[in-house]
Amino acid sequence: MLTITQALVDQIVAHARKDHPDEACGVVAGPAGSDRPERFIPMLNAAMSPTFYEFDSGDLLKLYREMDDRDEEPVVIYHSHTATEAYPSRTDISYANEPGAHYVLVSTADTDGLGEFQFRSYRIVDGEVTEEEVKVVEAY
């Protein structure tokens, strides 16, 4: 189960809305070994695509060095789908290389502001996708 604050959910959704119609992507880091997402890190979608996301390799290297220096790890890796449901694509699954991370997907397919955004979380290990419950809390 992913336990995450409402403030972080709001930041992820706001990033997805801001980057629409392109996919948004980013990381929420937390203390190593804690499974507690704390630090929101929006990233640039280097692909600048409505159907694909890609972290810039230089930005990603810088982020991992920064997390190492702060004794953090990527607790949540998120991105948005702009025209489909919030379920990992074959490409998403092939790129999932953090077995301890929660992979959050937000669907921005309903952009009129009236419908609920889909906010779903998955574990992806060795190509196997398992949806998990998301518990939204005010604080940890």
Side-chain angles (χ1 to χ4, degrees):
M1 175 172 61
L2 169 63
T3 302
I4 188 168
T5 64
Q6 184 65 58
L8 286 168
V9 169
D10 292 346
Q11 288 177 296
I12 291 168
V13 170
H15 184 205
R17 283 185 175 177
K18 182 178 78 64
D19 282 12
H20 188 88
D22 288 339
E23 290 192 3
C25 58
V27 173
V28 184
S34 72
D35 197 37
R36 191 175 65 234
E38 291 184 351
R39 189 165 64 95
F40 176 70
I41 308 155
M43 303 284 284
L44 172 70
N45 178 355
M48 294 185 186
S49 166
T51 59
F52 180 74
Y53 83 98
E54 181 176 35
F55 291 117
D56 176 84
S57 58
D59 289 349
L60 200 56
L61 180 60
K62 180 181 168 201
L63 171 62
Y64 271 80
R65 286 182 174 154
E66 185 180 284
M67 286 190 299
D68 282 346
D69 291 346
R70 296 171 62 126
D71 198 26
E72 293 176 326
E73 63 188 7
V75 178
V76 169
I77 299 171
Y78 73 88
H79 77 281
S80 61
H81 281 182
T82 61
T84 59
E85 71 171 321
Y87 188 85
S89 69
R90 283 190 299 271
T91 304
D92 297 339
I93 295 165
S94 70
Y95 283 1
N97 60 1
E98 286 288 347
H102 302 271
Y103 285 89
V104 166
L105 278 106
V106 175
S107 175
T108 58
D110 179 2
T111 59
D112 63 6
L114 301 174
E116 286 292 317
F117 275 54
Q118 286 184 1
F119 187 101
R120 296 164 72 182
S121 183
Y122 304 88
R123 294 293 189 148
I124 305 174
V125 179
D126 296 329
E128 188 169 322
V129 178
T130 306
E131 186 165 7
E132 62 183 352
E133 181 183 344
V134 176
K135 181 179 178 185
V136 180
V137 297
E138 287 306 311
Y140 300 122

